[in-house]
Amino acid sequence: MDHHVKGGAPCNQSSEELDEMDLRRGPWTVDEDFTLINYIAHHGEGRWNSLARTAGLKRTGKSCRLRWLNYLRPDVRRGNITLEEQLLILELHSRWGNRWSKIAQHLPGRTDNEIKNYWRTRVQKHAKQLKCDVNSKQFKDTMRYLWMPRLVERIQAAAAASGGASSTTTTTAATASTIAYHNQDYNMDSIGSGQFNMLTQPNMNNNCNNYGNFQINQSSYTTENSSTAASSDSFGTQVSPISDLTDCYNYPINQGNDNNNTNQVYYQPNTNQVAYTESLISPGGYFSQGLNFQAMDQDNQWMDGGDASDNLWDMWFLQQQLMN
DNA sequence: AAAGTACGCAACCGCCCCCGG
DNA sequence: GCCGGGGGCGGTTGCGTACTT
């Protein structure tokens, strides 16, 4: 698609100027991407307005910057938000609110835009379903006491299922949790490092599936034998690349992240061993309110792909918790 | 099969801050 | 101190696609 939309002047430029300069808006073409990449490869980034002019791009500097940062950067990661990343986003958002760029700094390769989109499309959706404000204490408590512990359970379960983790699903309360987050090396064999190598592929998921190696060294969560957590991840040994908050209460697992736009240009990320350590969990533990998730797991397939009645039950339960 | 709806996400917009002249 | 350009950030929009009826 080749939009050539006019109107809506960017900063400091009138629409007449835009017309005069024949600036383009809308989706970027492969040629434009290539031009931008090559220019930055030779001249570096920054001074975006002059960059756009010098490179011959009929785009605003802001548009170039955004395209580069959110899409073309070699180390940018897009696609499935892992369970670990979801947990991080929830935690960091509870700390900082809508400070997307700040949150993004703690998720290597993720952009503020993607995190913001995730929050709006996933988290806010659930707040809406629960008929409460996303900024309300009730909703924050729901995240803290329901969703985040479940995410941790699933992370642990996935790690245990993979056979490479020493953690168990039975843990005791501890003072703090330290989560080490390591990127795996990306396969650069086919593309050669240090250059901008373009490859067109239907999606990037293959590059992301094994991305997270999320270790929970200590846990504040008391989950005990969570059979559901172990079985809820239909993707077996991997930390599910396809998941979101929906399956925290029996909504069908989102099969989104289609990224099937074969016209787009993707890059193999070349992030190498980006280590992240963050003390995430507050000493009090998420289960301080004594919610019996195990019982819910067994009786109601908590977080699993239940049927409609399960959904209703879970919604009812959540609302009861919010009432308390 | 077609129409309607919901969803995900790339891109844009406007505001703001910083910094150099 | 003022001004203008560059850049960052959060909010919003609109399109393509998946899903539902």
Side-chain angles (χ1 to χ4, degrees):
Chain A
M1 191 175 59
D2 192 5
H3 286 235
H4 196 148
V5 185
K6 294 178 180 178
C11 293
N12 308 319
Q13 285 176 313
S14 68
S15 57
E16 291 77 12
E17 284 175 317
L18 279 179
D19 284 344
E20 191 175 325
M21 297 166 66
D22 199 28
L23 287 177
R24 286 175 42 79
R25 297 175 62 212
W28 281 61
T29 64
V30 172
D31 285 344
E32 287 177 312
D33 284 345
F34 191 73
T35 300
L36 180 57
I37 290 164
N38 280 334
Y39 188 91
I40 291 176
H42 287 100
H43 302 93
E45 54 184 281
R47 307 279 298 178
W48 293 103
N49 280 329
S50 60
L51 182 153
R53 283 193 299 269
T54 311
L57 287 162
K58 297 182 187 306
R59 295 274 184 173
T60 66
K62 279 192 171 187
S63 182
C64 294
R65 173 182 168 273
L66 204 65
R67 183 64 176 173
W68 174 254
L69 293 178
N70 285 347
Y71 201 91
L72 298 177
R73 263 189 311 157
D75 59 340
V76 72
R77 294 174 57 239
R78 291 176 297 107
N80 300 317
I81 306 275
T82 65
L83 293 169
E84 297 83 5
E85 289 173 320
Q86 291 177 49
L87 182 62
L88 260 179
I89 291 169
L90 295 181
E91 170 64 26
L92 295 179
H93 187 274
S94 71
R95 289 187 189 180
W96 299 324
N98 296 353
R99 301 289 303 279
W100 306 119
S101 61
K102 190 171 182 177
I103 294 171
Q105 288 172 6
H106 293 79
L107 289 126
R110 297 294 185 186
T111 67
D112 55 352
N113 206 36
E114 185 166 27
I115 294 169
K116 182 171 56 181
N117 282 333
Y118 167 77
W119 185 265
R120 289 187 56 82
T121 58
R122 306 266 169 65
V123 180
Q124 287 195 352
K125 178 179 71 178
H126 297 295
K128 189 177 178 181
Q129 287 173 336
L130 294 172
K131 292 184 169 60
C132 63
D133 186 86
V134 73
N135 294 316
S136 67
K137 184 179 183 303
Q138 289 104 328
F139 186 72
K140 289 176 180 174
D141 284 347
T142 303
M143 281 196 303
R144 189 169 184 80
Y145 298 114
L146 292 176
W147 292 342
M148 292 170 74
R150 300 306 292 175
L151 281 172
V152 170
E153 273 192 12
R154 298 187 65 194
I155 291 164
Q156 290 176 318
S162 70
S166 59
S167 64
T168 65
T169 55
T170 300
T171 56
T172 57
T175 55
S177 290
T178 301
I179 295 178
Y181 190 60
H182 302 286
N183 280 4
Q184 291 189 346
D185 284 328
Y186 286 102
N187 181 6
M188 298 294 292
D189 293 345
S190 60
I191 60 176
S193 60
Q195 299 177 355
F196 295 106
N197 291 280
M198 295 169 51
L199 61 152
T200 302
Q201 55 187 47
N203 61 58
M204 258 180 79
N205 296 344
N206 290 340
N207 302 321
C208 300
N209 284 350
N210 295 316
Y211 175 79
N213 180 11
F214 204 86
Q215 296 179 337
I216 301 173
N217 300 328
Q218 292 176 303
S219 177
S220 301
Y221 310 113
T222 304
T223 60
E224 300 188 350
N225 301 313
S226 177
S227 59
T228 303
S231 63
S232 64
D233 191 339
S234 60
F235 297 90
T237 59
Q238 291 182 342
V239 173
S240 173
I242 302 173
S243 63
D244 63 11
L245 293 172
T246 54
D247 46 343
C248 287
Y249 50 93
N250 290 351
Y251 279 80
I253 291 176
N254 176 28
Q255 299 291 340
N257 292 308
D258 37 84
N259 285 344
N260 285 330
N261 188 346
T262 54
N263 294 325
Q264 303 283 18
V265 179
Y266 298 92
Y267 299 89
Q268 289 275 25
N270 63 357
T271 308
N272 294 319
Q273 293 291 340
V274 177
Y276 172 62
T277 301
E278 178 76 318
S279 179
L280 281 177
I281 313 302
S282 61
Y286 289 134
F287 282 80
S288 59
Q289 290 192 348
L291 301 178
N292 188 345
F293 291 100
Q294 185 180 4
M296 289 188 291
D297 283 347
Q298 292 170 348
D299 294 344
N300 299 289
Q301 298 179 304
W302 186 259
M303 290 181 70
D304 279 349
D307 58 20
S309 61
D310 291 330
N311 289 345
L312 291 173
W313 192 94
D314 292 338
M315 292 294 285
W316 173 85
F317 176 82
L318 281 171
Q319 287 177 343
Q320 292 303 305
Q321 291 300 319
L322 292 173
M323 300 286 188
N324 294 335

